[in-house]
Amino acid sequence: MSDNSMNDVFSPSPLPVELSLIQVVGITQVGSFIEAASGFFELVWAHRIAQEVSKFKNQTDHYFRIPFNESTQEAMSRADPYRYANIQAGVILEKIAGPFSNGRLELQNRDPNDNPRSTFNYFKYPRDLQRCVQGSEIVRKVVKLRSLSTFRYPFAIMQTLMNMTLTSPVNLRPKHVRPTYSMEQFCVDTVMTISPGTNPQATVMMLGRYMGLRILQERNPH
């Protein structure tokens, strides 16, 4: 079993952006898909991002950093104060096509209400990590395009945008936010997957649970 690892860069925009769901914008020769989305993002940590954007929008020689050390669960438990926080931005991501790394999916017990245990072993094969680095380098070039400059704050160099991603709750892995940062470490720290419905493994897991419940209902109609 394998899953397409994904890494993204979140870029706040000083101008209004069109609402667009995730869509493929390029297929590279290195084995990565380049995808993008844009619009207003209502996120738990968007309020902090908005505050930092306001603070740094007229400065060009500072890295953009957010002191965020919470896990996703901790962030969600405090969601109410930031319920209406939103920020207009674009997201550019790279996703490995056909990873070589593989993992396993197994039942924890016979209870269909319990989630199965999944292990994807992202970047187990160095070749996948190299493809992520190459795909992220393409994203770096896209971010620097002159045609996107009007939708980018002056301080938003690639290192700044990488730090923003590193300080957002994309996963539960420990993050390494540094002035200088290797693209390899960025790939490992910020790896994630897409939501159920487009993720094959997530879809199989949901169908498996559904069929398990159906079997139990047929065995015990009362």
Side-chain angles (χ1 to χ4, degrees):
M1 181 187 73
S2 61
D3 183 49
N4 303 80
S5 61
M6 183 176 78
N7 300 79
D8 71 1
V9 168
F10 183 85
S11 180
S13 172
L15 298 178
V17 292
E18 180 182 353
L19 176 62
S20 173
L21 299 178
I22 289 287
Q23 55 185 311
V24 177
V25 296
I27 301 176
T28 71
Q29 295 181 345
V30 301
S32 293
F33 292 104
I34 306 300
E35 303 180 6
S38 60
F40 275 90
F41 292 82
E42 295 186 1
L43 305 171
V44 175
W45 38 273
H47 183 69
R48 295 189 182 187
I49 293 178
Q51 288 180 329
E52 293 298 322
V53 167
S54 177
K55 183 187 302 182
F56 286 96
K57 66 181 180 180
N58 294 320
Q59 301 181 26
T60 59
D61 57 348
H62 289 78
Y63 285 124
F64 182 60
R65 299 181 183 178
I66 308 167
F68 200 106
N69 298 314
E70 297 171 311
S71 68
T72 303
Q73 289 92 334
E74 291 171 336
M76 292 304 294
S77 69
R78 303 191 309 101
D80 286 345
Y82 305 142
R83 182 176 179 181
Y84 301 106
N86 53 50
I87 187 170
Q88 54 192 16
V91 176
I92 305 175
L93 60 91
E94 69 83 28
K95 184 163 59 176
I96 292 178
F100 293 94
S101 304
N102 56 69
R104 63 183 183 277
L105 178 68
E106 56 188 0
L107 296 177
Q108 298 191 67
N109 51 54
R110 295 184 179 182
D111 186 348
N113 294 308
D114 285 348
N115 289 320
R117 182 184 295 109
S118 59
T119 305
F120 295 114
N121 293 325
Y122 296 117
F123 307 130
K124 178 181 179 181
Y125 281 79
R127 186 172 179 180
D128 286 339
L129 181 57
Q130 185 59 34
R131 293 162 75 191
C132 175
V133 170
Q134 292 173 323
S136 297
E137 289 293 346
I138 293 174
V139 171
R140 183 198 296 270
K141 294 178 181 179
V142 171
V143 169
K144 294 172 62 177
L145 289 175
R146 185 175 181 180
S147 57
L148 296 180
S149 61
T150 55
F151 297 99
R152 187 175 64 244
Y153 282 99
F155 64 83
I157 60 176
M158 185 62 179
Q159 181 68 51
T160 297
L161 302 181
M162 288 169 62
N163 284 347
M164 288 181 60
T165 301
L166 284 164
T167 51
S168 61
V170 296
N171 59 39
L172 300 180
R173 292 173 177 243
K175 306 298 189 298
H176 304 80
V177 183
R178 302 166 182 167
T180 57
Y181 197 77
S182 72
M183 197 63 79
E184 288 83 357
Q185 191 65 55
F186 177 79
C187 285
V188 172
D189 284 358
T190 64
V191 64
M192 57 180 150
T193 188
I194 202 68
S195 60
T198 55
N199 181 318
Q201 277 72 43
T203 303
V204 170
M205 289 164 63
M206 290 188 292
L207 289 175
R209 175 177 291 182
Y210 169 76
M211 291 305 299
L213 290 172
R214 284 285 302 273
I215 291 172
L216 287 178
Q217 291 170 356
E218 292 175 0
R219 289 178 179 175
N220 303 288
H222 302 293

